[in-house]
Amino acid sequence: MAPPSDDLKLLGSWASSYTHRVQLALKLKGLAFEYAEEDLADKSPSLLLYNPVYEKVPVLLHRGRPVLESVIILHYLDETWPEVPLMPADPYDRALARFWCHFVDDKLGPAVGAVFASPSDGQAAAVEQVHENLRLVERELREGAFAGRRRFFGGDKIGVLDIVLGCGSYWLAVFEEVMEVKLVDPEAFPLFHSWLRDFEEQEEVKAIIPAIDRLLEYARGVRQMMLGLSTRQQ
Amino acid sequence: MGEVDTKGVVLLDFWVSPFGQRCRIALAEKGVEYEYREENLLGDKSPLLLESNPVYKKVPVLIHDGKPVCESLLIVQYIDEWWPHRAPLLPADPYARAHARFWADFIDKKVRPPYADASYVLWKLKGEGHSAAKEEFTGILKLLEGELGDKKYFAGDAFGFVDIALVPFVCWFYTYETYAGFSIEELTPKLVAWGKRCMERESVAKTLSDPHKVFEFVGVLKKRFGVE
């Protein structure tokens, strides 16, 4: 039974991996909340009110007060409801987890997005960027800070870095199919591949991540629109 | 590795880096002894830097008992968590902490020195691009001033995380003003007053660069990158 979480509301978007991060964290912590789907093409007054600086999801409202930015929200959840901790206890491990979360949002995520946005004849460079970033992750898993760790970055259980890296990594498979490229070759990235597989098999994760068909349909639609736009611009 | 004692605190840094300065201020606030090592960012990066920060190959890097911590705001949080008893840099309340993290992150994304990103071009662009960059920068400063309001520091009475994130850029104001052709004091007087208050703190006064030296440095960069 979930501990009392008095008045939690999440403004999100069903296809947003940043929203999924928060939903997954709430689920792992057993926190009840109200969910409101935002139409990002027609933003609600609430969204504009609570996030005037960026006008983005997710927005977590706790007792009516907004918490913004997915990683900051994860920290907030961990500090307010410390049971089922997402962050490691040791300050150095925390710094490490935060660094790699930053890397995901600063480098890996944009590189994956760039593949999706690349013109039909410009994919190779974008794909190589993704591989370069995945190599950095693979190296950390193999011989760096995370070498020899247990199943997840968080240990035996999912932690903050698993959530941040995992919610979003499902786009890799989606883009592989829509763009017809190979992003995660299990032979080139064996540790990353097996970590991702373990992550996606967790019950809580399966409950949060949308069905791949929906993601594929969504991605195809966006891709068509992007190509349509660029054709018209020529 | 061999180059550094495995015990103790080492900061790999570059004299004018506002990111490095954030770390120096935090260490000073906490009274932590450390060894400062200057990296020559206009020359070759040291093997220690490349080994300690293989992902970004950038300063600052804090090496604590042989273990590297990268990214200035993460370093500041690490310093706060490792030495919690003196001069807490983040508030105790989770909501206030989230608020501070949000604004520090905003500053990290939006306030950058000219050399940090190819896209930061206040000093490079001419004409329409220049006015757009100037307008964007003005907007950012006004937003920050709005957040500060009439408070002594960003979190209230206690100097902390958001102040540390922003204050190194105060010594860049002269440079921004000269290139952009505006007066930051006229635009955001409360922010300038806040900057002066921060400079009354020893940690800040001893860390920030002389604004004229910063301006000279940007001149050197411009020549190096062939910008006119």
Side-chain angles (χ1 to χ4, degrees):
Chain A
M1 169 154 137
S5 55
D6 51 339
D7 193 16
L8 268 175
K9 184 172 176 177
L10 178 65
L11 308 182
S13 170
W14 76 271
S16 154
S17 48
Y18 305 101
T19 300
H20 299 153
R21 291 172 181 180
V22 180
Q23 286 172 310
L24 180 55
L26 288 162
K27 195 160 199 63
L28 289 166
K29 287 189 174 281
L31 298 169
F33 65 100
E34 186 195 330
Y35 178 78
E37 176 73 13
E38 278 288 329
D39 176 0
L40 297 177
D42 183 19
K43 293 173 182 179
S44 75
S46 280
L47 181 60
L48 302 177
L49 173 72
Y50 291 120
N51 193 355
V53 173
Y54 296 119
E55 296 181 358
K56 282 185 177 176
V57 293
V59 174
L60 182 78
L61 292 165
H62 183 208
R63 297 180 184 147
R65 296 193 302 182
V67 185
L68 308 172
E69 296 295 293
S70 61
V71 175
I72 293 175
I73 296 172
L74 296 183
H75 275 81
Y76 178 77
L77 291 175
D78 224 34
E79 289 169 6
T80 310
W81 292 280
E83 308 78 31
V84 188
L86 304 174
M87 287 287 286
D90 174 73
Y92 187 76
D93 289 340
R94 294 161 73 84
L96 215 53
R98 286 175 180 141
F99 175 81
W100 286 98
C101 287
H102 171 79
F103 172 80
V104 170
D105 284 344
D106 185 49
K107 282 207 153 196
L108 181 58
V112 175
V115 168
F116 187 60
S118 61
S120 320
D121 58 353
Q123 275 175 26
V127 169
E128 179 47 33
Q129 265 299 109
V130 173
H131 287 165
E132 201 180 288
N133 287 310
L134 284 177
R135 274 195 286 272
L136 289 165
V137 178
E138 187 75 16
R139 199 186 89 150
E140 284 305 296
L141 285 166
R142 190 177 57 244
E143 59 196 65
F146 301 113
R149 296 223 173 170
R150 292 148 287 168
R151 251 173 122 202
F152 299 112
F153 293 102
D156 294 318
K157 296 204 164 122
I158 289 174
V160 69
L161 180 53
D162 301 285
I163 295 172
V164 168
L165 182 55
C167 290
S169 288
Y170 45 77
W171 287 117
L172 291 164
V174 172
F175 293 166
E176 280 184 337
E177 184 152 335
V178 172
M179 308 293 292
E180 290 167 357
V181 290
K182 194 66 191 161
L183 291 172
V184 189
D185 179 352
E187 285 193 18
F189 308 107
L191 296 169
F192 177 80
H193 188 261
S194 72
W195 162 81
L196 185 57
R197 196 197 48 224
D198 281 350
F199 174 80
E200 288 175 346
E201 269 165 23
Q202 297 301 291
E203 285 310 312
E204 294 91 347
V205 175
K206 286 202 278 207
I208 298 297
I209 309 302
I212 190 136
D213 297 334
R214 272 187 94 192
L215 293 174
L216 280 168
E217 191 190 324
Y218 175 80
R220 284 195 179 108
V222 176
R223 179 75 186 160
Q224 278 312 304
M225 195 180 65
M226 279 177 170
L227 289 175
L229 279 172
S230 58
T231 317
R232 276 200 291 281
Q233 277 159 8
Q234 270 160 20
Chain B
M1 261 208 301
E3 268 203 68
V4 65
D5 293 333
T6 45
K7 280 276 159 213
V9 181
V10 176
L11 182 69
L12 305 183
D13 201 346
F14 180 55
W15 68 278
V16 75
S17 162
F19 309 107
Q21 288 175 354
R22 290 170 173 167
C23 307
R24 284 178 251 162
I25 292 169
L27 288 163
E29 288 284 325
K30 299 277 185 181
V32 174
E33 301 262 316
Y34 66 99
E35 184 196 334
Y36 176 94
R37 289 208 188 178
E38 179 80 356
E39 285 283 328
N40 179 14
L41 292 192
L42 298 179
D44 291 325
K45 294 179 178 179
S46 74
L48 182 59
L49 175 60
L50 297 175
E51 212 180 302
S52 308
N53 191 356
V55 173
Y56 290 104
K57 306 179 175 62
K58 283 184 180 176
V59 294
V61 179
L62 186 85
I63 305 177
H64 187 200
D65 293 345
K67 298 194 288 189
V69 182
C70 306
E71 289 301 303
S72 62
L73 292 184
L74 302 188
I75 295 171
V76 173
Q77 285 186 80
Y78 174 82
I79 290 167
D80 200 37
E81 289 175 9
W82 192 270
W83 291 278
H85 301 297
R86 180 171 156 176
L89 303 176
L90 275 167
D93 170 63
Y95 187 78
R97 290 162 81 84
H99 194 82
R101 285 181 173 130
F102 174 83
W103 284 102
D105 177 67
F106 173 83
I107 290 160
D108 211 37
K109 290 208 260 269
K110 302 285 191 179
V111 184
R112 315 279 295 171
Y115 65 85
D117 302 306
S119 59
Y120 195 87
V121 288
L122 199 65
W123 55 303
K124 279 200 267 179
L125 292 175
K126 294 192 184 334
E128 217 182 277
H130 183 93
S131 3
K134 189 166 143 181
E135 210 178 291
E136 195 191 332
F137 185 66
T138 305
I140 289 163
L141 289 181
K142 289 199 177 229
L143 200 60
L144 287 168
E145 187 177 68
E147 172 55 25
L148 174 68
D150 291 314
K151 303 195 294 284
K152 185 177 180 191
Y153 299 117
F154 276 89
D157 291 326
F159 180 78
F161 195 51
V162 180
D163 306 291
I164 292 176
L166 185 60
V167 81
F169 293 97
V170 167
C171 60
W172 290 78
F173 281 178
Y174 172 70
T175 300
Y176 293 140
E177 285 172 329
T178 311
Y179 280 106
F182 57 26
S183 158
I184 294 181
E185 176 128 33
E186 264 172 39
L187 284 171
T188 50
K190 287 182 180 173
L191 210 56
V192 171
W194 160 85
K196 290 186 176 143
R197 277 197 293 281
C198 291
M199 281 294 281
E200 287 167 12
R201 300 182 78 82
E202 202 182 329
S203 62
V204 177
K206 287 197 167 171
T207 299
L208 264 50
S209 306
D210 177 325
H212 290 95
K213 292 212 151 65
V214 171
F215 183 74
E216 255 170 50
F217 171 73
V218 173
V220 167
L221 278 185
K222 281 183 75 174
K223 281 207 189 83
R224 169 173 270 248
F225 294 123
V227 174
E228 220 3 275

